[in-house]
Amino acid sequence: QKEVEQNSGPLSVPEGAIASLNCTYSDRGSQSFFWYRQYSGKSPELIMSIYSNGDKEDGRFTAQLNKASQYVSLLIRDSQPSDSATYLCAVRRDFGNEKLTFGTGTRLTIIP
Amino acid sequence: ETGVTQSPTHLIKTRGQQVTLRCSSQSGHNTVSWYQQALGQGPQFIFQYYREEENGRGNFPPRFSGLQFPNYSSELNVNALELDDSALYLCASSAPPGQAPNEQFFGPGTRLTVL
C-alpha cells in the first residue's frame, strides 16, 4: 500500500465547474496536510495547507480533512483553464519528523 | 516566486561523475529540505538540514550527501552518478522544525540528466 494515494487522472472538468481532487494516506500519525500545484516543467507551488478536521477555504480553493477516514480532498470552484496542472497531495508527521510524503499527483485538465 | 533559488537550472552529466547542486533559502527560513522528483512521480524526500546538520534522511544511498552553510544556503552532492539519478531535484525552505505552520516552499529545481 502506498503511503499517499491519489488518482493519477487525467481528470477533465468543464470551465466554470467544480473540480474535486482526492487523496488518502496510510500513516495515522500524520498531522499536517498540503496541496501543491505543479505546472508542466515547473516546481510545486503550495496552494493549501490544513491541520485539523473539517474544511478550510481560500478563495476558489477548499481543502477538506477527515483524519478518522485518513482522507483529504481539494475542491476548486469556478474552474479556469489556468487551473490545468498536476495537483500533489503531501502529508507530514511533525513532532521532529519534518519530511513531506507525496502522492504521485492528479493531472487536472479544465476544458474551455 | 517563493524567494528560493537553485542553481544550475539544467545539468547534463555522464555515469560515474559527481555533481553539486546549490540552493539558497527564502528570507527568514533556516531549514532546507531536498527532494528528488522522477518523471511522472511525486517528489521523494532526500534529507533536511537545520543548523548546519542533517535533520532526517529518506531512503537514499550514502552517495547522496549534503551541506548547509551559516547563511542557511545548502548543497546537494551526488557521487558516482547512475542513469536512474536523472530527475528534477527540488530544494524547499521552511522555518525551524516544530515551528507552526512550517510550510515548505520550493525553488525552481535543477533538472539533472545522466547519460
Side-chain angles (χ1 to χ4, degrees):
Chain A
Q1 182 186 10
K2 289 183 180 179
E3 292 183 78
V4 179
E5 296 211 45
Q6 297 181 252
N7 188 326
S8 61
L11 176 65
S12 297
V13 173
E15 183 175 357
I18 296 175
S20 178
L21 305 165
N22 304 315
C23 171
T24 58
Y25 59 95
S26 60
D27 183 0
R28 285 198 170 273
S30 300
Q31 299 292 326
S32 300
F33 306 86
F34 307 90
W35 284 99
Y36 286 83
R37 177 176 63 198
Q38 186 171 29
Y39 293 114
S40 182
K42 301 295 185 182
S43 64
E45 172 193 8
L46 180 66
I47 53 171
M48 288 290 285
S49 56
I50 187 166
Y51 305 97
S52 54
N53 283 327
D55 295 359
K56 178 182 177 183
E57 186 175 319
D58 184 1
R60 295 187 296 112
F61 298 99
T62 299
Q64 299 174 317
L65 175 62
N66 183 325
K67 288 186 179 180
S69 300
Q70 295 175 248
Y71 175 91
V72 58
S73 66
L74 179 70
L75 300 177
I76 306 175
R77 290 182 300 282
D78 188 24
S79 295
Q80 303 296 310
S82 60
D83 295 327
S84 297
T86 295
Y87 288 80
L88 296 162
C89 172
V91 308
R92 189 178 68 200
R93 230 177 192 270
D94 295 341
F95 305 117
N97 187 337
E98 301 290 323
K99 75 169 187 177
L100 294 176
T101 301
F102 285 86
T104 55
T106 297
R107 187 154 55 96
L108 173 67
T109 300
I110 305 302
I111 304 167
Chain B
E1 294 282 330
T2 62
V4 182
T5 62
Q6 291 186 244
S7 63
T9 305
H10 296 88
L11 204 50
I12 299 175
K13 292 286 189 178
T14 56
R15 272 186 306 173
Q17 284 190 311
Q18 177 265 344
V19 69
T20 297
L21 310 182
R22 295 178 175 85
C23 170
S24 291
S25 61
Q26 181 175 310
S27 177
H29 285 176
N30 59 8
T31 302
V32 173
S33 303
W34 287 92
Y35 293 82
Q36 180 196 66
Q37 187 177 23
L39 203 60
Q41 301 297 314
Q44 297 290 312
F45 177 75
I46 303 175
F47 42 56
Q48 182 183 84
Y49 275 85
Y50 169 60
R51 289 184 174 177
E52 301 176 51
E53 293 192 358
E54 189 178 285
N55 179 49
R57 186 180 183 93
N59 294 326
F60 281 82
R63 59 189 184 85
F64 286 78
S65 63
L67 283 173
Q68 187 181 33
F69 301 98
N71 67 354
Y72 311 134
S73 67
S74 177
E75 286 183 354
L76 164 65
N77 299 289
V78 187
N79 293 322
L81 283 167
E82 301 177 359
L83 295 179
D84 285 349
D85 295 333
S86 295
L88 180 67
Y89 287 85
L90 296 161
C91 164
S93 80
S94 57
Q99 179 177 322
N102 206 9
E103 296 160 337
Q104 294 187 15
F105 298 92
F106 285 93
T110 294
R111 173 75 62 187
L112 172 64
T113 302
V114 182
L115 301 176

